[in-house]
Amino acid sequence: MSIVILDACSVINMVNAGIIKKLKLINGYSFYIGRLVLEECLDIEKREVIERCLSDGVVNFMNEDLSISEFSSVSNKYNLGKGESECIAYLAKKGTIVCTDDNKARKCIERDFGKDYYFGSLYVLRELVRQKLITCDESIKGHAIMVISGAFLPKIDESYLCN
Amino acid sequence: MLNLIYQLKSASDLKALSKKSDIPLDRLKSLVEEISEATMSEVQKLSDAMKMSIEFLTSENKKYEDLNLLFRKSIKDKKDVELASRFSHLVGNSFEIMSEQSIDYSLLRSMMSMRENTYENAFRLANQFRYTIGDEIGLSPMVNLPQIVAEKLNCILYVVELGRHIEGASAVVEGIPFIFLSPRFKPRMLFTLAHELGHILNHHGLEQDFALYDSDVNSISRSTNLDESFANAFASNLLLPERGVGVALKKIGEIFKIENQVLGDVEILYLSRIYGVSFEVAALRCEDLTLLPKGGARALYEHIKANHVNPEQRAKKLNLPERPDVTFPKVSPNLTKLAVEKIRKGSISLGKASEILSMPISQIMRENI
């Protein structure tokens, strides 16, 4: 079972697309959210959804505390936001996979840890299709909702979501 | 040194901080002495207690230290040291969005010159300003000043709580002009904005770094400081152009069928509502234009306070029309636009942009639609 830590933009995108609750059903992954990422999700509606997901066990709260040096060494090195830094600090400490849609955070992880240590909400959409948890059409629709809600996503061909 | 340690070492009352943050005093002392290091849950508690962001407390920003010196120079009250830290962090962070960007300040520069601090020069500068932005007649209310400042002059405008007694601040750092406004009653904010603009246009230029805080900008009392008097006169002339005031008062007289030659509180209240300024600002302007005798503004203000609590209550009782709405963007649209471009390119992260702009991530995403 791979431990995945979610950053705020991927959480928001998945809430917008209505797929966050499906995370619990994906085989092979266990999803976590850290205290600073939680703090970044300020939008009341989304916050409520996330808190419900936490209490329903859809995602888990990352209880293990980071020290200030574990956090600041990452945040000062990469100059990312607090939530993204928290995710990479857990990656550095525990080898967790980071789920992020942020272009800069992905570049930083790829450079220093490798491609296998991150994916984004588009990968989750594809994995949901692969594991037959949603249909291809639902995946395409989810992607479209993310885009019209302002997600900063890499440009993809829709066929990616259904492979 | 991390800012957390720096801030803890300079904290005046660790005991109070311990109580506020719910972290035992001994534990705080061990952090100050760097015997042990804080956990992120403790940093979160300290961030709440000190009203400083986690990003700030966990960063060691050299630029911040230099800027902090600049901002601390203009501090009059020791209590404002934390405020200087906040400004420094905001300005320092803004550079991450502004870096490698070429910004056009030609319009702003065209109005900048170090004139002598006289009323006549403030009047000329205000007229030049109106002319430059296309209001040659000098009649209309300038309720779109926030948009002009941010979008045409390319100043970085922040609406951010500056503390109870600070209304605004202006700064030029490495050639970039910044204006900070405390979120207050909008007519006060409009005047403060014009006042800060007056400082930037006439007192500093873009070549030399400076930072300046302002309290009492909207007071009924007149400042004795020459720079402050100039900035007030500029703001007053800009927001209440002589010609416009004349036309408005004539119309108001007709509406209320006022035959008395002496200006009263009703006309001034109405004037303040037309031009989106406070009663105090409108009354002082009438005094400047000799429509009121010297001291008349204060006398009318005191009279209203004694009989109607405050000018707004009086205007409400008179059923005067509301002021035109003034929209103050929380963050300069110019800065937000640049941030969105940089997030797309991957040169700044969404979380970092959210921190710099003090905007929730979901709001920045809406700017990407």
Side-chain angles (χ1 to χ4, degrees):
Chain A
M1 178 79 83
S2 300
I3 305 280
V4 180
I5 184 113
L6 299 155
D7 85 344
C9 60
S10 69
V11 170
I12 292 168
N13 288 338
M14 286 190 274
V15 171
N16 285 339
I19 58 163
I20 191 100
K21 287 177 189 161
K22 304 271 184 191
L23 290 180
K24 194 180 181 180
L25 306 173
I26 301 180
N27 271 327
Y29 297 103
S30 182
F31 291 88
Y32 284 77
I33 191 163
R35 67 180 70 244
L36 301 183
V37 168
L38 201 55
E39 204 179 88
E40 277 183 330
C41 300
L42 294 170
D43 189 306
I44 295 168
E45 275 177 43
K46 290 181 184 69
R47 182 82 186 225
E48 275 176 14
V49 175
I50 296 160
E51 278 170 2
R52 226 175 303 134
C53 284
L54 280 166
S55 62
D56 293 348
V58 172
V59 290
N60 310 288
F61 182 69
M62 186 60 95
N63 269 316
E64 193 175 330
D65 217 345
L66 291 166
S67 71
I68 190 168
S69 60
E70 285 166 337
F71 174 83
S72 62
S73 60
V74 170
S75 86
N76 289 321
K77 178 175 181 186
Y78 299 113
N79 202 15
L80 298 167
K82 64 182 172 187
E84 294 135 357
S85 300
E86 181 184 55
C87 290
I88 299 181
Y90 280 119
L91 160 58
K93 186 176 183 178
K94 296 163 67 78
T96 53
I97 293 170
V98 178
C99 181
T100 176
D101 288 329
D102 183 73
N103 194 356
K104 185 174 178 187
R106 291 161 73 103
K107 281 183 191 171
C108 295
I109 298 170
E110 189 168 328
R111 193 182 61 222
D112 287 358
F113 300 90
K115 272 186 174 177
D116 295 340
Y117 285 94
Y118 74 88
F119 57 70
S121 47
L122 296 181
Y123 176 89
V124 173
L125 275 173
R126 189 167 75 159
E127 200 57 25
L128 287 168
V129 175
R130 268 187 190 166
Q131 297 194 16
K132 299 190 172 28
L133 296 166
I134 59 171
T135 64
C136 179
D137 281 351
E138 284 171 327
S139 174
I140 291 169
K141 195 178 154 198
H143 173 239
I145 295 172
M146 286 183 194
V147 172
I148 59 169
S149 304
F152 290 87
L153 292 170
K155 286 210 165 42
I156 51 146
D157 193 281
E158 279 181 355
S159 61
Y160 166 87
L161 299 168
C162 300
N163 274 331
Chain B
M1 183 194 292
L2 289 177
N3 283 328
L4 174 73
I5 308 300
Y6 179 76
Q7 294 295 329
L8 283 178
K9 283 184 193 289
S10 49
S12 51
D13 190 352
L14 271 186
K15 214 171 164 184
L17 185 60
S18 159
K19 206 174 163 191
K20 234 173 160 183
S21 64
D22 204 24
I23 297 174
L25 184 58
D26 287 346
R27 174 71 182 148
L28 279 185
K29 282 181 182 163
S30 79
L31 298 181
V32 173
E33 288 156 17
E34 298 180 66
I35 297 166
S36 57
E37 64 168 352
T39 64
M40 286 310 291
S41 51
E42 286 171 329
V43 175
Q44 209 170 17
K45 285 180 182 173
L46 287 167
S47 152
D48 288 342
M50 297 161 99
K51 293 197 174 21
M52 289 178 184
S53 71
I54 288 175
E55 301 86 340
F56 170 67
L57 293 175
T58 56
S59 64
E60 39 187 347
N61 193 342
K62 180 72 186 71
K63 182 153 203 97
Y64 156 76
E65 283 168 28
D66 297 341
L67 287 167
N68 203 20
L69 278 177
L70 173 71
F71 280 96
R72 280 188 184 218
K73 268 189 217 164
S74 68
I75 279 181
K76 295 160 204 152
D77 191 328
K78 271 192 171 177
K79 279 184 277 180
D80 293 334
V81 171
E82 277 180 17
L83 185 67
S85 305
R86 210 150 155 220
F87 277 122
S88 314
H89 194 57
L90 272 176
V91 170
N93 273 336
S94 302
F95 277 95
E96 291 189 32
I97 292 178
M98 315 282 293
S99 63
E100 301 154 30
Q101 299 293 331
S102 157
I103 299 160
D104 181 9
Y105 290 117
S106 54
L107 192 65
L108 184 70
R109 280 185 193 278
S110 73
M111 290 182 270
M112 287 178 127
S113 64
M114 308 301 145
R115 298 163 176 89
E116 200 188 331
N117 278 328
T118 62
Y119 187 86
E120 185 63 23
N121 281 338
F123 167 77
R124 281 201 191 119
L125 182 60
N127 277 357
Q128 187 195 346
F129 188 95
R130 276 194 173 257
Y131 186 85
T132 308
I133 58 145
D135 176 22
E136 290 153 28
I137 308 167
L139 286 176
S140 53
M142 197 160 277
V143 287
N144 58 343
L145 188 61
Q147 285 66 40
I148 294 169
V149 166
E151 290 164 29
K152 291 193 174 176
L153 304 183
N154 281 324
C155 294
I156 303 299
L157 180 62
Y158 275 106
V159 176
V160 58
E161 187 50 68
L162 304 171
R164 206 160 48 89
H165 57 289
I166 305 236
E167 304 229 13
S170 48
V172 167
V173 182
E174 294 180 19
I176 297 173
F178 291 84
I179 294 180
F180 302 89
L181 299 175
S182 274
R184 300 273 187 274
F185 180 46
K186 281 186 179 179
R188 285 177 69 159
M189 290 170 73
L190 184 64
F191 189 79
T192 306
L193 174 60
H195 175 101
E196 298 304 332
L197 185 61
H199 281 312
I200 286 185
L201 290 176
N202 202 54
H203 295 141
H204 302 282
L206 295 181
E207 277 66 40
Q208 202 181 357
D209 287 358
F210 87 94
L212 190 83
Y213 303 98
D214 279 306
S215 44
D216 301 331
V217 173
N218 286 273
S219 161
I220 193 80
S221 309
R222 292 186 186 273
S223 175
T224 49
N225 176 291
L226 286 179
D227 279 0
E228 295 306 316
S229 296
F230 181 93
N232 280 338
F234 167 76
S236 170
N237 274 283
L238 183 66
L239 299 178
L240 292 149
E242 187 171 354
R243 195 153 168 233
V245 170
V247 172
L249 287 175
K250 195 167 169 246
K251 279 272 169 218
I252 295 165
E254 284 167 16
I255 292 168
F256 286 95
K257 297 184 175 59
I258 297 167
E259 284 169 14
N260 193 344
Q261 292 296 306
V262 182
L263 212 54
D265 60 343
V266 179
E267 296 99 301
I268 296 172
L269 276 169
Y270 209 133
L271 185 68
S272 76
R273 296 239 155 176
I274 292 171
Y275 281 95
V277 297
S278 65
F279 172 84
E280 295 90 310
V281 164
L284 284 170
R285 178 68 175 136
C286 290
E287 214 179 274
D288 288 340
L289 293 171
T290 63
L291 299 167
L292 279 177
K294 229 176 176 183
R298 176 177 278 279
L300 277 177
Y301 179 70
E302 296 298 342
H303 171 78
I304 289 178
K305 260 179 62 177
N307 295 286
H308 308 278
V309 184
N310 62 44
E312 294 313 301
Q313 294 285 336
R314 169 78 167 134
K316 210 173 165 188
K317 277 183 211 161
L318 289 165
N319 212 12
L320 295 184
E322 291 295 326
R323 291 180 181 84
D325 192 35
V326 186
T327 308
F328 290 93
K330 200 164 175 275
V331 185
S332 276
N334 44 3
L335 206 55
T336 315
K337 210 172 138 197
L338 280 176
V340 167
E341 280 169 26
K342 286 201 156 188
I343 296 165
R344 284 188 195 138
K345 282 185 202 156
S347 49
I348 190 169
S349 78
L350 184 51
K352 188 72 183 175
S354 158
E355 170 207 326
I356 292 170
L357 302 173
S358 303
M359 263 171 119
I361 285 176
S362 50
Q363 201 180 330
I364 299 180
M365 286 169 68
R366 282 197 283 275
E367 301 288 332
N368 188 39
I369 296 172

